[in-house]
Amino acid sequence: VTAGSIRLTSQRKVILGEDTTVAVDGSIFLVSTGAAAKSQATIGNGSNIQATDLTLSAPRTAQIGKKATVNLSGQLTIKSTGTSSDSNAIIAKGATVAVGGDAEMQAGNSSVLDKKTILTVTEDFHMQAGTPKKCKIKKGVTLAAGSLSGNCF
């Protein structure tokens, strides 16, 4: 898919499917507004995304999938807006994410940088979970940022 910007909103799952290639001159917004357990916003496993900004927002899981590649010239926002035990912000195993501006991961429960994730943020990386104990930066993560903030650091 090639476009100026993409905005997908749903009460339940909002997904850019597995192995999808998307190049956008502007922003990508994937927003789930529902209250159901399946209210999720996800970049699928193995996807290749290029955009200015990326926003994933859902009451439950907001996630960049396994082995996805995301290149942004602007901002990244991964936000799980709920407070339940499955309200998680995740960059999944083996994903590679490069952000030219600020990046924010925020969750009512857990914020997770999974194994073998590579995250490069030019400006501030803000990582926040329901409590600091719910912050998970797993083994093999490569994290480089201009500055770090949030209760995970």
Side-chain angles (χ1 to χ4, degrees), residues 138-151:
K138 297 194 174 179
K139 289 183 179 181
V141 168
T142 301
L143 172 60
S147 61
L148 301 171
S149 61
N151 70 354

Side-chain angles (χ1 to χ4, degrees), residues 75-131:
Q75 315 298 316
L76 171 65
T77 304
I78 303 172
K79 189 176 284 191
S80 178
T81 59
T83 56
S84 70
S85 63
D86 57 352
S87 294
N88 303 308
I90 301 166
I91 298 179
K93 184 178 179 179
T96 301
V97 180
V99 181
D102 294 322
E104 176 184 15
M105 285 183 72
Q106 186 169 337
N109 188 43
S110 294
S111 282
V112 180
L113 292 177
D114 210 348
K115 296 175 184 175
K116 299 181 183 177
T117 296
I118 299 170
L119 176 61
T120 306
V121 180
T122 302
E123 300 294 330
D124 184 60
F125 175 50
H126 182 84
M127 188 173 177
Q128 184 89 13
T131 68

Side-chain angles (χ1 to χ4, degrees), residues 43-64:
I43 298 293
N45 297 341
S47 292
N48 187 340
I49 308 297
Q50 290 186 314
T52 302
D53 303 311
L54 173 62
T55 299
L56 303 174
S57 178
R60 301 299 173 103
T61 300
Q63 174 174 297
I64 294 175

Side-chain angles (χ1 to χ4, degrees), residues 15-31:
I15 299 171
L16 283 179
E18 288 189 19
D19 299 316
T20 300
T21 298
V22 178
V24 176
D25 291 333
S27 300
I28 299 172
F29 298 93
L30 302 181
V31 180

